[in-house]
Amino acid sequence: MAIVVVGHKNPDTDTIASAIAVADLWTKRGMEAKAIAQGEIAPETAFVLKKFGFSAPEIVTDATDQQIVLVDHTDLSQSLDNLEKGEILGVVDHHKLGDVTTPNPLEMWVWPVGCTGTVIKAMYDFFGIEVPQNIAGILLCAILSDTVMYKSPTCTPQDKEAVEALAKIAGVADVMALGMEMFKVKSAVDGASANELVFRDYKDFDMSGNKVGIGQLEVVDLSMLDAHKDALQAEIEKVKADGRHSVFLLLTDIMKEGSEMLIASDDASVVEKAFGKAPAGKSIWLDGVMSRKKQVAPNFIKAFEG
Ligand code: MG
Ligand code: MG
Ligand code: MG
C-alpha cells in the first residue's frame, strides 16, 4: 500500500502542493507514495492546480493502518483522525512543532521559513533529484501564497531564492503577475456562504486547554468584505458556540498590510492581553499583522497561559 502524504485540515495551497511534491520525492527515493487531502480544495488552490495540470488529491480523513508523511503541520487538532493508529514516517513543515508524537524514529524536515515549499525545494537539491516542471510551478505558487508575495513577516531570503530557482524550472517569467492573479482568485468572496468563508483558511488550536479557532481571509482590498462582515460575525459566533472558547477571523488586506480581526469569545479580554489594545466592539484593526502563525497564534497562546 502506498505511503500517504497529507497536509492540514482546510487545505491551503501549500498543504496541497507540498503533499503532491513530497509524494513525488518519496516515490523517486524508492518509497511509493501518494498525496491525499483532508478536505475540498479552496478556489486559489484549484486555480494553481489547473494552471500546472494537476487534479485535486483524493480526500481521506482517517489514519488507521496507513503509513503517513505529514506536511505543513504537526498539530493533532489539524491532522488525520486516529493518527495514533497509523505510522508516521516523516514530517516536512515550517510551523512551530505541535503535539504529534511517534513511537518510532522518523525523518524530520522542519525549518523556520515562510513555506513548506521552500523546505521541499531544498530536499530535492539534497537528494539530487530534479524538480519536475509542473511541481516547480505549484511549489512556487505555494511560496507566494504563504508569504503573501513576500510581504508576510514569515518570509525569509530562502523563500525568495526558492521562488527564483523554481520560476526558472517552471518557465514562469513574471512571478509577481502570477501571484496577483492567484490572490485575485483568492479574494473572490461573492457567491460563497459565510460558513465557507470562515473555514476557507481556518485552524483550531488547543490553548491551555481551551479550543480556539483562528480563520483568515486574505483579500486585495478589505472593502470587498464590507457586505459580508455581519454574516461572518454571526457565523463565527455559531462556530464558537460549537464547543470553543473563542473564534477569531482575520480579514487581511494584503495591500494595506494589516488585518481587521472579528472576535467571538467567552472572554474577549484575551484580545487585549494578546495585542495590548482593546477591541472596539467585536472587531479590532491590527496594523502590520499579516501572519496567523507568527503574529496572531503565538500572542493568543501566551495570553491564554495567563
Ligand atoms: Mg498551510
Ligand atoms: Mg504552509
Ligand atoms: Mg496561509
Side-chain angles (χ1 to χ4, degrees):
M1 203 166 65
I3 296 161
V4 296
V5 185
V6 67
H8 52 77
K9 291 195 200 309
N10 303 302
D12 59 11
T13 298
D14 183 27
T15 260
I16 298 293
S18 294
I20 291 170
V22 167
D24 175 66
L25 254 172
W26 241 260
T27 300
K28 286 175 179 163
R29 290 167 64 199
M31 299 167 281
E32 197 202 338
K34 66 167 184 183
I36 60 166
Q38 295 194 63
E40 298 287 343
I41 58 171
E44 178 199 68
T45 310
F47 164 82
V48 170
L49 292 186
K50 188 167 175 228
K51 179 145 193 103
F52 293 99
F54 290 95
S55 46
E58 177 194 347
I59 295 176
V60 177
T61 58
D62 197 290
T64 305
D65 297 334
Q66 309 260 27
Q67 288 191 304
I68 303 151
V69 179
L70 299 180
V71 295
D72 203 30
H73 75 292
T74 57
D75 279 318
L76 285 172
S77 61
Q78 296 165 17
S79 205
L80 294 167
D81 299 335
N82 299 310
L83 197 61
E84 72 290 350
K85 293 182 183 153
E87 184 190 0
I88 298 173
L89 304 180
V91 169
V92 186
D93 192 20
H94 69 122
H95 293 87
K96 76 174 176 70
L97 205 52
D99 48 5
V100 167
T101 58
T102 65
N104 302 317
L106 77 165
E107 219 178 276
M108 292 278 283
W109 298 82
V110 184
W111 288 11
V113 292
C115 181
T116 310
T118 302
V119 182
I120 295 170
K121 169 67 172 75
M123 292 173 73
Y124 274 103
D125 294 344
F126 178 86
F127 290 109
I129 296 169
E130 245 176 83
V131 188
Q133 189 175 1
N134 53 356
I135 286 182
I138 57 175
L139 288 177
L140 95 83
C141 286
I143 301 170
L144 292 175
S145 174
D146 264 16
T147 64
V148 195
M149 297 202 288
Y150 306 151
K151 286 181 179 177
S152 169
T154 58
C155 186
T156 68
Q158 289 109 298
D159 297 303
K160 291 185 191 175
E161 281 164 29
V163 167
E164 278 161 30
L166 291 165
K168 279 196 193 122
I169 299 165
V172 173
D174 190 342
V175 165
M176 286 302 148
L178 174 58
M180 268 319 281
E181 215 186 322
M182 190 176 70
F183 272 98
K184 277 192 188 134
V185 173
K186 187 177 214 169
S187 298
V189 290
D190 291 326
S193 70
N195 182 270
E196 261 173 79
L197 293 175
V198 168
F199 285 103
R200 193 175 270 180
D201 180 2
Y202 173 94
K203 285 178 181 165
D204 273 319
F205 297 86
D206 176 56
M207 299 196 184
S208 304
N210 301 291
K211 191 171 178 185
V212 176
I214 309 176
Q216 183 171 28
L217 285 172
E218 290 160 335
V219 295
V220 290
D221 179 3
L222 209 52
S223 68
M224 303 170 74
L225 293 172
D226 283 348
H228 300 267
K229 268 186 207 164
D230 289 347
L232 291 171
Q233 181 68 42
E235 189 61 34
I236 63 170
E237 298 285 355
K238 240 197 262 170
V239 176
K240 181 194 83 74
D242 186 20
R244 293 175 179 82
H245 178 287
S246 302
V247 175
F248 305 107
L249 183 63
L250 296 160
L251 310 177
T252 300
D253 188 315
I254 72 169
M255 291 304 166
K256 278 196 205 116
E257 303 190 22
S259 299
E260 180 177 354
M261 186 171 72
L262 305 185
I263 301 160
S265 180
D266 287 340
D267 176 10
S269 75
V270 292
V271 175
E272 188 167 358
K273 261 190 226 154
F275 296 97
K277 179 176 154 187
K282 300 226 157 186
S283 85
I284 186 170
W285 171 256
L286 301 169
D287 208 36
V289 169
M290 320 254 318
S291 167
R292 168 175 50 206
K293 179 172 68 168
K294 204 160 183 171
Q295 296 170 296
V296 179
N299 301 39
F300 278 125
I301 288 168
K302 259 206 192 134
F304 274 94
E305 278 167 0

